[in-house]
Amino acid sequence: MSKSEVVESIKAVTVGSKDMSNNLIINVLAKHNEYAIYEIETDDINNRLKVLIDGHTDEAELKIQSRFNIVKQKYIEAKGMLSKSSNFEMMKHRIAHTLSSCLNSDDTDGKKEFSELISTITREHEELVINRTLYLSPVFISTIFLFALMYCNIDLRIENTPLWQLTTISLATTLGSGISIFITAKTLNFEDFKTKKYYFMLGVERIFLSFMAGAIAFIAIRSGILTPKFISESYWSYMFIMVIAGFSESFIPRFLSKSESTMHNK
């Protein structure tokens, strides 16, 4: 049989077709005459990569299978870490390329290659966790500090002093901002900057923006420009407005735009 011929079962592995287990093939990552590495449609990321080995002869198939068995555990370990990878598309191709090199030759040190790949995925995941923590730390610190300050000055609640008002407004704004930050953090890319301090600065920037929004909302209420129906003299109603101001980044810009339009129309 010619060396260049592809086994029929391997030839059948194409995008849009189904494999022997009736899984829909959505991507072919590597294909050789006697093996194919492909991706199936499934919600389980760890189970998306599949390998099909079918040699021209039993001897040829056994040889490729033996190469696969040497790196099988490392390959499975690497697949299991795909869900932790920040760049799934790139990593799945690297896994497929590494496995393909191992199946093609006995000279490739597959265990070493996969160990380095696993180390890379682990290191990138750790960096993402650190960057995310740095981004979230300003809101953590602000919330704990303001809670402590509020607790230490609880006696001022009855007199409703300026210090108490400032503390409660700041805490409410931080709580609203914190919810917004936690929600949006899921969609952010924590690989944009190589310097970690930038993520902390972004978190500080977001907190500062929420304080500005809370201050503008408070001024608007005290001036009478913003008068929600549920507002009262109770600091609880003020706090609720501050939570909304801290949570919604578009609340204050919309309000300022509307106020500017009203002033121009007079």
Side-chain angles (χ1 to χ4, degrees):
M1 187 171 290
S2 172
K3 182 179 178 180
S4 61
E5 288 185 2
V6 181
V7 178
E8 289 300 322
S9 59
I10 303 300
K11 190 182 296 184
V13 177
T14 56
V15 175
S17 63
K18 292 190 175 182
D19 64 7
M20 295 178 180
S21 300
N22 205 35
N23 297 309
L24 180 63
I25 299 172
I26 59 175
N27 196 3
V28 179
L29 302 171
K31 183 187 284 190
H32 202 262
N33 295 344
E34 299 171 296
Y35 69 82
I37 305 170
Y38 57 94
E39 182 182 0
I40 64 171
E41 185 178 50
T42 178
D43 293 331
D44 185 2
I45 293 179
N46 299 328
N47 197 38
R48 291 178 73 169
L49 297 189
K50 296 293 182 182
V51 181
L52 174 62
I53 298 174
D54 188 7
H56 290 301
T57 63
D58 291 341
E59 183 181 355
E61 183 173 332
L62 181 61
K63 189 173 183 179
I64 298 175
Q65 187 66 50
S66 297
R67 293 171 181 166
F68 177 68
N69 290 338
I70 293 174
V71 298
K72 184 176 181 179
Q73 292 303 318
K74 286 293 184 180
Y75 164 70
I76 293 174
E77 186 179 348
K79 278 205 314 176
M81 299 186 70
L82 275 175
S83 58
K84 298 180 180 180
S85 175
S86 58
N87 194 333
F88 172 76
E89 292 298 321
M90 181 186 73
M91 279 303 169
K92 73 181 181 183
H93 282 283
R94 288 186 63 178
I95 290 175
H97 174 75
T98 302
L99 181 58
S100 178
S101 298
C102 296
L103 298 180
N104 281 334
S105 173
D106 292 321
D107 298 330
T108 303
D109 189 349
K111 289 186 177 181
K112 180 181 178 181
E113 295 286 337
F114 273 112
S115 293
E116 291 177 354
L117 188 57
I118 291 169
S119 297
T120 299
I121 297 175
T122 302
R123 184 173 62 255
E124 290 181 353
H125 178 64
E126 290 175 350
E127 289 178 355
L128 286 179
V129 172
I130 292 172
N131 292 341
R132 178 184 168 89
T133 301
L134 288 172
Y135 175 71
L136 296 176
S137 57
V139 72
F140 271 121
I141 296 170
S142 299
T143 302
I144 293 172
F145 172 76
L146 290 170
F147 259 121
L149 186 62
M150 192 173 180
Y151 178 79
C152 292
N153 293 280
I154 195 70
D155 295 337
L156 302 177
R157 179 176 64 86
I158 298 175
E159 299 178 10
N160 198 21
T161 63
L163 177 59
W164 177 258
Q165 292 180 19
L166 179 62
T167 304
T168 54
I169 288 171
S170 298
L171 176 60
T173 304
T174 304
L175 291 174
S177 176
I179 296 173
S180 176
I181 289 173
F182 272 95
I183 292 174
T184 56
K186 297 178 181 179
T187 61
L188 296 179
N189 180 11
F190 290 101
E191 294 181 301
D192 288 338
F193 304 108
K194 294 298 181 182
T195 307
K196 298 185 183 302
K197 66 180 180 181
Y198 289 154
Y199 294 100
F200 181 80
M201 293 170 63
L202 286 174
V204 172
E205 179 184 293
R206 182 63 184 83
I207 287 294
F208 186 70
L209 177 63
S210 70
F211 283 148
M212 292 178 64
I216 293 172
F218 182 74
I219 293 171
I221 293 172
R222 298 297 291 179
S223 65
I225 297 175
L226 181 63
T227 54
K229 294 181 180 180
F230 58 83
I231 200 73
S232 67
E233 291 300 320
S234 170
Y235 62 84
W236 292 108
S237 57
Y238 281 93
M239 287 183 70
F240 183 72
I241 293 294
M242 298 308 112
V243 169
I244 296 175
F247 175 78
S248 176
E249 296 180 1
S250 59
F251 174 74
I252 293 300
R254 282 205 311 265
F255 168 73
L256 292 176
S257 253
K258 185 176 180 182
S259 299
E260 184 180 10
S261 299
T262 303
M263 292 175 63
H264 285 167
N265 292 332
K266 286 184 178 181

